[in-house]
Amino acid sequence: MTETPLPEQEQRRERAVSTHSRDIEGTRRLAGGVFFALGAGFLTVVMLAAAMVPGYDFRNGAISDLGVAPETALVFNGLLVLAGIANIAGGYLLYRVHGRRWLLGTFVLAGIGAVVTGVFPLDTGAPHSLGALFAFVFFNLQALGLATRLTGVLQWLSALAGALGLVFVVVMVVGDAGNTAVFGPFGHGGTERLIVYPVMLWLVALGGYLLGGGSLTGTAVGGR
């Protein structure tokens, strides 16, 4: 039996849908590569930088101490700037997939916070502190926000990473305000790492998920 050829207009529409689907998949995979490199690169460089500074205090020292130590200042501050830019770029790529402006905003604000933290090292005082607080809060909010566009195990990991980070943001603020007992056995350094490391590990997992063809719920047109 001979198939009836599709009308030309319908053929064009099907080709456009197919091309759009390939574009979305490519964008999603590219975002995955950015996030995987961001999370894995950040954790690796911070680990190596901490090993390069003689007498670095993991428990009581801030992660940003690496940005004022002469052995690692250039590398660490440059890492923060690159991480911020990568987070904004990855967030924009994902925005082209999910189309939610409010979610893009969390990625952009987190990235801006990271860039400010790198441009203004720890010894600059208030600018660094504000940038770091922005980064701490919005990196974890982006994990919570993206949980609304994920399903299954990764959705729960996203929510867990974001919630855990925000809990320890509160702990850090209370401790830095003078009540250092709240740090408990973790100290200031451990508390900061419980803000940063879970969300960076989440970015590695998210990147692998997207690179492997994982999808997001929601549309790729418009934004809300």
Side-chain angles (χ1 to χ4, degrees), residues 12-34:
R12 286 200 301 268
R13 185 179 64 187
E14 288 195 356
R15 284 197 297 269
V17 169
S18 177
T19 300
H20 178 71
S21 296
R22 288 196 301 271
D23 288 346
I24 289 295
E25 182 178 357
T27 300
R28 195 168 56 230
R29 290 179 186 274
L30 181 57
V34 171

Side-chain angles (χ1 to χ4, degrees), residues 64 80 109-110 112-118 120 122 125-140 169 172 192 195-196:
S64 292
L80 290 177
L109 291 172
I112 291 173
V115 170
V116 171
T117 306
F120 298 97
L122 183 62
H128 177 87
S129 297
L130 288 173
L133 183 60
F134 250 67
F136 289 158
V137 170
F138 284 102
F139 264 100
N140 286 289
V169 167
M172 186 191 68
E192 274 201 354
I195 295 170
V196 175

Side-chain angles (χ1 to χ4, degrees), residues 61-101:
I63 298 176
S64 292
D65 285 342
L66 300 171
V68 293
E71 298 88 350
T72 56
L74 183 60
V75 170
F76 180 77
N77 294 324
L79 171 68
L80 290 177
V81 172
L82 289 176
I85 294 171
N87 197 66
I88 294 171
Y92 174 72
L93 289 169
L94 274 193
Y95 168 70
R96 292 176 58 189
V97 176
H98 59 68
R100 274 26 181 207
R101 294 191 185 101

Side-chain angles (χ1 to χ4, degrees), residues 3-16:
E3 292 185 1
T4 304
L6 291 172
E8 183 178 349
Q9 184 177 7
E10 189 169 341
Q11 288 180 344
R12 286 200 301 268
R13 185 179 64 187
E14 288 195 356
R15 284 197 297 269

